[in-house]
Short mmCIF file of all heavy atoms in Angstrom, two decimals:
data_model
loop_
_atom_site.label_atom_id
_atom_site.label_comp_id
_atom_site.label_asym_id
_atom_site.label_seq_id
_atom_site.Cartn_x
_atom_site.Cartn_y
_atom_site.Cartn_z
N LEU A 192 169.50 157.67 39.64
CA LEU A 192 170.41 158.75 39.99
C LEU A 192 169.68 160.10 40.01
O LEU A 192 169.78 160.86 40.95
CB LEU A 192 171.56 158.86 38.98
CG LEU A 192 172.84 158.11 39.19
CD1 LEU A 192 173.75 158.24 37.98
CD2 LEU A 192 173.56 158.57 40.44
N GLY A 193 168.93 160.33 38.94
CA GLY A 193 168.21 161.61 38.80
C GLY A 193 167.11 161.72 39.85
O GLY A 193 166.94 162.79 40.48
N MET A 194 166.39 160.62 40.07
CA MET A 194 165.29 160.66 41.04
C MET A 194 165.82 160.99 42.43
O MET A 194 165.28 161.86 43.13
CB MET A 194 164.57 159.32 41.03
CG MET A 194 163.34 159.27 41.91
SD MET A 194 162.67 157.61 42.08
CE MET A 194 163.86 156.96 43.24
N PHE A 195 166.87 160.31 42.83
CA PHE A 195 167.41 160.56 44.19
C PHE A 195 168.12 161.89 44.27
O PHE A 195 168.00 162.61 45.26
CB PHE A 195 168.34 159.41 44.63
CG PHE A 195 167.60 158.17 45.05
CD1 PHE A 195 167.74 156.95 44.38
CD2 PHE A 195 166.76 158.20 46.14
CE1 PHE A 195 167.03 155.82 44.79
CE2 PHE A 195 166.06 157.07 46.59
CZ PHE A 195 166.20 155.87 45.91
N ARG A 196 168.84 162.29 43.21
CA ARG A 196 169.53 163.57 43.24
C ARG A 196 168.53 164.72 43.44
O ARG A 196 168.79 165.68 44.15
CB ARG A 196 170.27 163.75 41.89
CG ARG A 196 171.28 164.84 41.92
CD ARG A 196 171.81 165.08 40.48
NE ARG A 196 172.58 166.32 40.49
CZ ARG A 196 173.89 166.35 40.58
NH1 ARG A 196 174.57 165.23 40.69
NH2 ARG A 196 174.54 167.51 40.56
N GLY A 197 167.35 164.56 42.83
CA GLY A 197 166.29 165.56 42.96
C GLY A 197 165.77 165.74 44.39
O GLY A 197 165.16 166.76 44.70
N VAL A 198 166.04 164.75 45.25
CA VAL A 198 165.59 164.90 46.64
C VAL A 198 166.79 164.90 47.59
O VAL A 198 166.69 164.52 48.75
CB VAL A 198 164.55 163.77 47.01
CG1 VAL A 198 163.29 163.91 46.17
CG2 VAL A 198 165.14 162.38 46.85
N GLY A 199 167.93 165.31 47.04
CA GLY A 199 169.11 165.51 47.92
C GLY A 199 169.75 164.25 48.42
O GLY A 199 170.29 164.21 49.52
N ILE A 200 169.72 163.19 47.57
CA ILE A 200 170.35 161.92 47.96
C ILE A 200 171.27 161.44 46.86
O ILE A 200 170.95 161.47 45.70
CB ILE A 200 169.24 160.83 48.22
CG1 ILE A 200 168.43 161.21 49.47
CG2 ILE A 200 169.86 159.46 48.40
CD1 ILE A 200 167.24 160.32 49.75
N LYS A 201 172.51 160.99 47.28
CA LYS A 201 173.45 160.38 46.30
C LYS A 201 173.16 158.91 46.22
O LYS A 201 173.17 158.22 47.26
CB LYS A 201 174.89 160.55 46.80
CG LYS A 201 175.43 161.94 46.71
CD LYS A 201 176.90 161.91 47.11
CE LYS A 201 177.40 163.32 47.33
NZ LYS A 201 178.77 163.38 47.82
N LEU A 202 172.95 158.41 44.99
CA LEU A 202 172.81 156.94 44.78
C LEU A 202 174.21 156.40 44.64
O LEU A 202 174.83 156.55 43.57
CB LEU A 202 171.94 156.67 43.56
CG LEU A 202 171.81 155.19 43.17
CD1 LEU A 202 171.11 154.40 44.27
CD2 LEU A 202 171.11 155.03 41.83
N VAL A 203 174.73 155.76 45.65
CA VAL A 203 176.11 155.27 45.68
C VAL A 203 176.20 153.97 44.84
O VAL A 203 177.04 153.85 43.97
CB VAL A 203 176.55 155.05 47.15
CG1 VAL A 203 177.93 154.40 47.19
CG2 VAL A 203 176.53 156.36 47.90
N ASP A 204 175.33 153.02 45.15
CA ASP A 204 175.29 151.77 44.40
C ASP A 204 173.96 151.07 44.66
O ASP A 204 173.20 151.52 45.53
CB ASP A 204 176.48 150.82 44.74
CG ASP A 204 176.57 150.51 46.22
OD1 ASP A 204 175.52 150.48 46.90
OD2 ASP A 204 177.69 150.30 46.72
N PHE A 205 173.66 150.04 43.91
CA PHE A 205 172.45 149.24 44.16
C PHE A 205 172.56 147.88 43.57
O PHE A 205 173.40 147.63 42.71
CB PHE A 205 171.18 149.96 43.64
CG PHE A 205 171.15 150.17 42.13
CD1 PHE A 205 170.58 149.24 41.31
CD2 PHE A 205 171.68 151.31 41.58
CE1 PHE A 205 170.53 149.41 39.93
CE2 PHE A 205 171.63 151.52 40.18
CZ PHE A 205 171.07 150.57 39.36
N LYS A 206 171.69 146.99 44.05
CA LYS A 206 171.62 145.61 43.54
C LYS A 206 170.21 145.36 43.02
O LYS A 206 169.24 145.75 43.68
CB LYS A 206 171.96 144.66 44.66
CG LYS A 206 171.98 143.19 44.32
CD LYS A 206 170.72 142.40 44.50
CE LYS A 206 170.03 142.48 45.82
NZ LYS A 206 168.82 141.59 45.91
N VAL A 207 170.10 144.78 41.84
CA VAL A 207 168.78 144.39 41.36
C VAL A 207 168.82 142.94 40.84
O VAL A 207 169.87 142.38 40.63
CB VAL A 207 168.23 145.31 40.23
CG1 VAL A 207 167.71 146.60 40.79
CG2 VAL A 207 169.29 145.53 39.15
N GLU A 208 167.60 142.38 40.70
CA GLU A 208 167.48 141.06 40.15
C GLU A 208 166.47 141.08 38.98
O GLU A 208 165.55 141.91 38.98
CB GLU A 208 166.98 140.09 41.25
CG GLU A 208 168.00 140.03 42.38
CD GLU A 208 167.63 139.06 43.48
OE1 GLU A 208 166.79 138.17 43.26
OE2 GLU A 208 168.19 139.22 44.56
N PHE A 209 166.68 140.21 38.04
CA PHE A 209 165.75 140.08 36.89
C PHE A 209 165.26 138.63 36.82
O PHE A 209 165.88 137.72 37.36
CB PHE A 209 166.53 140.39 35.58
CG PHE A 209 166.89 141.85 35.41
CD1 PHE A 209 168.07 142.36 35.97
CD2 PHE A 209 166.06 142.72 34.71
CE1 PHE A 209 168.40 143.70 35.83
CE2 PHE A 209 166.38 144.06 34.56
CZ PHE A 209 167.57 144.54 35.14
N GLY A 210 164.13 138.47 36.11
CA GLY A 210 163.63 137.12 35.95
C GLY A 210 162.88 136.97 34.64
O GLY A 210 162.57 137.97 33.96
N PHE A 211 162.64 135.71 34.29
CA PHE A 211 161.88 135.38 33.08
C PHE A 211 160.39 135.25 33.48
O PHE A 211 160.10 134.52 34.41
CB PHE A 211 162.32 134.07 32.47
CG PHE A 211 163.71 134.12 31.88
CD1 PHE A 211 164.82 133.71 32.59
CD2 PHE A 211 163.88 134.62 30.60
CE1 PHE A 211 166.08 133.78 32.02
CE2 PHE A 211 165.16 134.70 30.01
CZ PHE A 211 166.26 134.27 30.74
N THR A 212 159.52 135.93 32.75
CA THR A 212 158.09 135.84 33.06
C THR A 212 157.60 134.41 32.72
O THR A 212 158.21 133.70 31.92
CB THR A 212 157.23 136.86 32.28
OG1 THR A 212 157.51 136.68 30.90
CG2 THR A 212 157.55 138.27 32.74
N ASN A 213 156.45 134.10 33.31
CA ASN A 213 155.92 132.74 33.24
C ASN A 213 155.04 132.48 31.99
O ASN A 213 154.67 131.37 31.72
CB ASN A 213 155.05 132.53 34.49
CG ASN A 213 154.86 131.13 34.84
OD1 ASN A 213 155.69 130.28 34.51
ND2 ASN A 213 153.75 130.82 35.49
#
Side-chain angles (χ1 to χ4, degrees):
L192 269 175
M194 185 189 77
F195 282 118
R196 195 189 168 96
V198 297
I200 293 174
K201 286 185 193 176
L202 175 65
V203 175
D204 56 30
F205 63 91
K206 182 268 308 184
V207 282
E208 298 182 21
F209 290 85
F211 291 97
T212 55
N213 201 27

